[in-house]
Amino acid sequence: MKNQHATACRRAEIEDFTVHDWRHHWASHCVMAGIDLITIMNMGGWKSLRMVQRYSSVSVDHMRTAINKLS
């Protein structure tokens, strides 16, 4: 898997992106897609919601869309 990752990054001209970064990327996209944290925790193999929260982050656009739902 590391070889495929390195090849993909080289082809895309991406530097400083590790295999581990995919876990952050995946968790963040799950959250932004509306998948609940318990499901993400189970699918990602984390033992606590705290770790899911640490791994996942949402984009500014996602936050803006969420806030606009209040109006």
Side-chain angles (χ1 to χ4, degrees):
M1 186 163 131
K2 286 184 180 182
N3 288 338
Q4 290 91 351
H5 171 77
T7 300
C9 286
R10 192 170 39 259
R11 286 181 180 170
E13 299 179 0
I14 297 171
E15 296 179 14
D16 196 30
F17 191 78
T18 67
V19 172
H20 182 78
D21 292 329
W22 286 111
R23 286 178 60 81
H24 291 274
H25 180 78
W26 176 81
S28 296
H29 279 269
C30 285
V31 169
M32 290 187 285
I35 299 171
D36 64 277
L37 295 180
I38 297 293
T39 300
I40 297 168
M41 182 180 78
N42 290 328
M43 291 173 62
W46 290 286
K47 293 183 178 10
S48 71
L49 287 174
R50 177 177 245 165
M51 287 307 294
V52 176
Q53 291 171 317
R54 182 179 284 177
Y55 267 78
S56 61
S57 60
V58 294
S59 68
V60 172
D61 288 337
H62 182 79
M63 288 187 280
R64 186 176 296 118
T65 300
I67 290 298
N68 288 337
K69 289 179 181 179
L70 296 173
S71 57

